């Protein structure tokens, strides 16, 4: 099958539009606008030079042996509920969850069953343990009520003051509160109180690891971070603990290096693009369009061959077309100096955020046992999930780039649309945008709690939720991780993640 023929009609239309655009450009001799972005610091030669020794059979055999050692020793020897919860928490933070899914489920099933069926056996006497229990079970999709924290609240519905000085408990409580669902007022109060308590704590008097975790959480909660970005830091912290499990640490280090080797391989391949012939296009569009075209066709062809499908390319071309149309609308807004209402802006901005585009590619790449129709059914049944993920990506982007965009006279952001629509100052607009992000996260939490019961969709849900977390990382502290690649600590994070292996 000539899989490229599916795009002939769309390609011809695009070519005609581009040639008209080029003709108009030639007539007016208008200088193309620039955002004055700095050159890409990640050069092709650098990407091609990435290489790791941690991908041979010897390391694979060593890894498999360590997996069995942890299964046979660590899980068997850990008996009490608190130790089991801390073990699951450590495995999660060390990036090893996918290697112990069965053991983790059996452990948490047992703990949840004991707590539900034996009222006299309770872990709710200790704030730290209760928060850890709540956080881990919610992360794994178990239904846990916010009422679990009722005993820690006073008659006025606020946290009892006696708990506010427990920094370790407050930290775990704050992390747990970020898994709140809509309407959970107790968790809203807990989040506000624990945040204040952590900010008021004397960091200088804390253990180094605990102090670092507090600072880390106040910058951005763990639930809103891509877990893999923090694995190195957790390995370092865990290694310094008094009762460190040496086998678990050895496994975590080897796992990190092996994953890093895989990421390096993927990066080298993603940089193997074929420009091809695009002579009909304006010079500025040739490389961009041909790379997009070739890559999309290759992705579709590989998926179709592997699964015996024949309708992947039309699905991918549709989301690309929708994405490009959204960008065109935003360009028209700019050319007309038009400021839409916030609702109108978000109806287009959520599409131009590219989340739907990424979701469709992800769906076909991960749900190998699903048919073509399932992607349409999933997107239809989960429009709220897709919308809220898109909303967070769009709004975190706007918080990070709005100032620079206004300075260069770019199209309006959500902040500017809200300011003009409601006639408020920028601070109030930003607060409203942040509240919208909080609300969207609660809706995502609720949806993700219900979805893990479908095993075939779990990898897909994990990946799509990480898209939102990546947005938080890129635009953290209202910065622009795309426009200024060297801003803050992002360059150090990428180097640590992709270039520097751990010493074994």
């Amino acid at each position: 099958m000539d899989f490229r023929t599916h795009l002939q009609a769309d390609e011809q239309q695009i070519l005609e539009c581009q040639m008209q655009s080029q003709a108009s450009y030639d007539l007016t001799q208008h200088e193309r606008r620039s955002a004055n972005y700095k050159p890409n610091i990640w050069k092709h030669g650098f990407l091609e030079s990435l290489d790791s020794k941690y991908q041979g059979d010897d390391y694979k055999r060593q890894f498999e042996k360590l997996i069995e050692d942890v299964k046979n020793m660590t899980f068997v020897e850990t008996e009490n509920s608190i130790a089991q919860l801390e073990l699951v928490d450590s495995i999660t933070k060390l990036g090893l969850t996918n290697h112990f899914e069965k053991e983790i489920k059996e452990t948490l099933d047992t703990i949840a069953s004991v707590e539900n069926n034996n009222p006299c056996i309770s872990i709710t006497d200790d704030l730290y343990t209760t928060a850890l229990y709540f956080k881990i079970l919610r992360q794994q999709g178990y239904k846990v009520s916010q009422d679990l924290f009722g005993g820690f609240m006073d008659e006025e519905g606020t946290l009892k003051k006696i708990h506010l000085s427990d920094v370790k408990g407050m930290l775990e409580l704050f992390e747990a509160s970020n898994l709140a669902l809509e309407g959970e007022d107790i968790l809203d109060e807990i989040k506000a109180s624990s945040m204040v308590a952590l900010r008021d704590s004397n960091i200088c008097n804390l253990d180094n690891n605990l102090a670092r975790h507090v600072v880390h959480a106040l910058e951005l909660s763990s639930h809103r971070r891509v877990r893999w970005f923090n694995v190195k830091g957790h390995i370092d912290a865990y290694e310094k603990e008094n009762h460190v499990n040496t086998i678990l640490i050895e496994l975590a280090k080897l796992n990190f290096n092996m994953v890093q080797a895989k990421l390096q391989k993927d990066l080298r391949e993603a940089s193997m693009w074929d420009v091809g012939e695009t002579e009909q296009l304006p010079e500025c569009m040739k490389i961009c369009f041909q790379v997009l075209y070739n890559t999309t066709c290759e992705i579709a062809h590989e998926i179709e061959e592997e699964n015996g499908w024949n309708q992947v390319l039309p699905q991918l071309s549709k989301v690309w077309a929708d994405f490009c149309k959204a960008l065109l609308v935003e360009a028209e807004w700019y050319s007309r100096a038009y400021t839409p209402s916030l609702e109108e802006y978000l109806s287009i901005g959520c599409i131009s955020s590219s989340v739907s585009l990424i979701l469709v590619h992800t769906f076909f790449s991960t749900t190998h046992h699903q048919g073509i129709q399932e992607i349409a059914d999933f997107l239809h049944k989960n429009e709220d999930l897709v919308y809220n993920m898109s909303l967070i990506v769009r709004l975190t982007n706007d918080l990070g780039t709005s100032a620079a965009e206004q300075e260069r006279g770019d199209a309006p952001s959500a902040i500017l649309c809200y300011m003009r629509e409601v006639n408020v100052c920028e601070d109030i607009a930003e607060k409203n945008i942040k509240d919208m992000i909080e609300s969207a996260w609660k809706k995502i939490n609720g949806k993700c709690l219900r979805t893990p019961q479908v095993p075939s969709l779990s990898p897909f849900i994990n990946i799509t939720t990480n898209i939102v977390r990546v947005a938080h990382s890129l635009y953290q502290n209202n910065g622009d991780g795309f426009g200024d690649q060297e801003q803050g600590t992002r360059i150090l994070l990428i180097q640590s993640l992709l270039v520097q292996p751990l010493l074994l």
Side-chain angles (χ1 to χ4, degrees):
M1 180 187 69
D2 182 9
F3 58 89
R4 292 175 182 256
T5 59
H6 292 288
L7 283 184
Q8 284 181 348
D10 286 344
E11 180 188 9
Q12 183 61 35
Q13 184 178 7
I14 292 171
L15 290 173
E16 291 173 359
C17 290
Q18 292 301 330
M19 285 188 286
Q20 292 172 6
S21 173
Q22 179 66 15
S24 173
Y25 177 89
D26 292 338
L27 287 172
T28 60
Q29 292 295 305
H30 178 67
E31 184 179 356
R32 184 169 179 252
R33 291 197 315 122
S34 171
N36 296 317
Y37 289 137
K38 297 178 181 178
N40 186 4
I41 63 174
W42 309 107
K43 304 300 183 183
H44 175 77
F46 169 75
L47 297 177
E48 285 295 302
S49 72
L50 293 176
D51 192 25
S52 172
K53 65 180 182 180
Y54 294 100
Q55 45 189 345
D57 290 340
D58 289 343
Y59 287 108
K60 185 177 180 180
R61 285 191 290 269
Q62 181 183 350
F63 180 77
E64 290 172 350
K65 182 182 184 305
L66 286 171
I67 288 283
E68 290 305 312
D69 288 344
V70 172
K71 287 180 180 180
N72 295 332
M73 297 174 61
T74 307
F75 279 95
V76 172
E77 294 174 357
T78 307
E79 296 181 355
N80 68 75
S81 295
I82 299 177
Q84 289 175 333
L85 288 171
E86 290 182 329
L87 174 62
V88 173
D89 194 41
S90 295
I91 287 174
T92 301
K93 290 177 178 177
L94 295 175
L96 297 169
T97 307
N98 58 317
H99 300 293
F100 299 100
E101 290 179 346
K102 177 176 176 290
E103 290 76 15
I104 289 173
K105 186 177 187 306
E106 290 175 351
T107 297
L108 296 184
D109 280 348
T110 300
I111 293 175
S113 176
V114 168
E115 293 302 320
N116 290 334
N117 298 324
N118 298 277
C120 59
I121 302 176
S122 177
I123 62 169
T124 58
D125 297 331
D126 176 70
L127 181 61
Y128 162 76
T129 307
T130 304
L132 182 65
Y133 170 86
F134 180 92
K135 181 190 76 174
I136 290 176
L137 266 68
R138 276 225 170 162
Q139 283 177 342
Q140 297 294 327
Y142 291 79
K143 293 183 179 179
V144 194
S145 173
Q146 66 168 348
D147 295 338
L148 197 65
F149 297 107
F152 302 101
M153 314 297 284
D154 59 26
E155 295 179 355
E156 298 177 353
T158 59
L159 269 176
K160 294 177 180 177
K161 293 183 179 179
I162 191 175
H163 300 300
L164 298 180
S165 59
D166 177 6
V167 178
K168 186 178 179 181
M170 285 293 107
L171 176 61
E172 205 59 53
L173 195 61
F174 175 72
E175 295 287 15
S177 70
N178 280 276
L179 290 150
L181 311 180
E182 289 184 288
E184 292 189 318
D185 296 338
I186 292 178
L187 289 177
D188 288 342
E189 166 58 30
I190 280 175
K191 183 173 184 177
S193 298
S194 59
M195 185 181 296
V196 171
L198 290 174
R199 285 175 176 165
D200 290 345
S201 62
N202 191 339
I203 300 293
C204 297
N205 292 335
L206 300 179
D207 168 83
N208 287 340
N209 279 342
L210 181 58
R212 184 170 62 178
H213 287 321
V214 169
V215 172
H216 206 241
L218 289 176
E219 286 180 349
L220 186 66
S221 73
S222 296
H223 184 56
R224 299 186 185 181
R225 292 178 181 267
V226 182
R227 288 177 185 167
W228 191 253
F229 289 176
N230 303 301
V231 166
K232 257 191 175 179
H234 285 306
I235 289 175
D236 180 64
Y238 189 69
E239 197 169 20
K240 294 175 181 176
E241 293 183 4
N242 294 329
H243 305 290
V244 62
N245 184 319
T246 54
I247 295 179
L248 194 60
I249 279 291
E250 186 179 356
L251 175 63
K253 287 183 175 181
L254 182 56
N255 181 59
F256 180 90
N257 290 350
M258 292 175 69
V259 171
Q260 186 181 75
K262 177 64 169 59
L263 293 175
Q264 290 178 358
K265 179 175 179 291
D266 291 344
L267 270 177
R268 290 196 303 272
E269 291 179 355
S271 66
M272 299 310 162
W273 286 343
D274 179 16
V275 176
E277 297 181 2
T278 54
E279 292 304 321
Q280 304 96 322
L281 292 173
E283 190 64 33
C284 64
M285 290 295 295
K286 288 181 181 178
I287 296 177
C288 178
F289 178 79
Q290 194 61 39
V291 166
L292 172 60
Y293 182 81
N294 288 346
T295 304
T296 303
C297 287
E298 288 167 8
I299 290 171
H301 187 54
E302 287 181 9
I303 295 172
E304 288 175 347
E305 279 198 331
E306 182 177 346
N307 297 281
W309 298 337
N310 62 3
Q311 290 295 311
V312 175
L313 191 57
Q315 296 282 351
L316 297 184
S317 62
K318 180 183 183 304
V319 289
W320 272 110
D322 290 343
F323 175 67
C324 292
K325 288 174 184 176
L327 296 181
L328 180 59
V329 171
E330 292 177 343
E332 290 173 347
W333 287 345
Y334 166 78
S335 66
R336 292 163 45 202
Y338 173 68
T339 302
S341 67
L342 182 62
E343 181 179 359
E344 184 183 8
Y345 170 80
L346 292 176
S347 68
I348 297 298
C350 283
I351 299 174
S352 68
S353 73
S354 76
V355 170
S356 296
L357 178 67
I358 299 173
L359 288 184
V360 174
H361 280 267
T362 302
F363 186 91
F364 285 129
S365 300
T366 58
T367 54
H368 300 292
H369 302 294
Q370 307 295 317
I372 292 294
Q373 184 58 37
E374 273 74 6
I375 182 61
D377 292 342
F378 179 87
L379 293 177
H380 174 70
K381 294 176 182 177
N382 296 276
E383 288 179 350
D384 56 337
L385 177 65
V386 176
Y387 175 78
N388 283 296
M389 288 180 168
S390 302
L391 185 67
I392 293 176
V393 173
R394 169 51 55 206
L395 296 182
T396 52
N397 179 310
D398 285 357
L399 285 171
T401 63
S402 179
E405 288 171 352
Q406 288 186 51
E407 184 177 339
R408 62 177 177 255
D410 215 333
S413 66
I415 297 170
L416 189 61
C417 291
Y418 186 82
M419 288 171 62
R420 293 182 179 177
E421 181 178 347
V422 188
N423 192 26
V424 295
C425 67
E426 186 173 3
D427 287 346
I428 293 177
E430 284 195 2
K431 182 183 183 304
N432 179 75
I433 297 302
K434 290 176 180 178
D435 288 343
M436 292 174 66
I437 292 173
E438 290 292 321
S439 177
W441 260 114
K442 290 180 181 180
K443 293 172 182 175
I444 292 173
N445 289 343
K447 188 66 181 180
C448 291
L449 269 178
R450 295 188 291 272
T451 307
Q453 280 69 34
V454 185
S456 62
L457 285 178
S458 293
F460 173 66
I461 292 297
N462 290 337
I463 292 172
T464 53
T465 308
N466 273 338
I467 295 170
V468 184
R469 295 182 173 119
V470 168
H472 273 291
S473 297
L474 283 172
Y475 302 108
Q476 190 174 340
N477 299 323
N478 292 4
D480 183 0
F482 279 118
D484 188 354
Q485 298 169 350
E486 296 178 286
Q487 182 190 60
T489 59
R490 292 183 184 88
I491 184 173
L492 299 177
L493 174 62
I494 293 173
Q495 289 174 334
S496 176
L497 179 68
L498 296 175
V499 182
Q500 303 156 353
L502 287 164
L503 296 177
L504 300 183

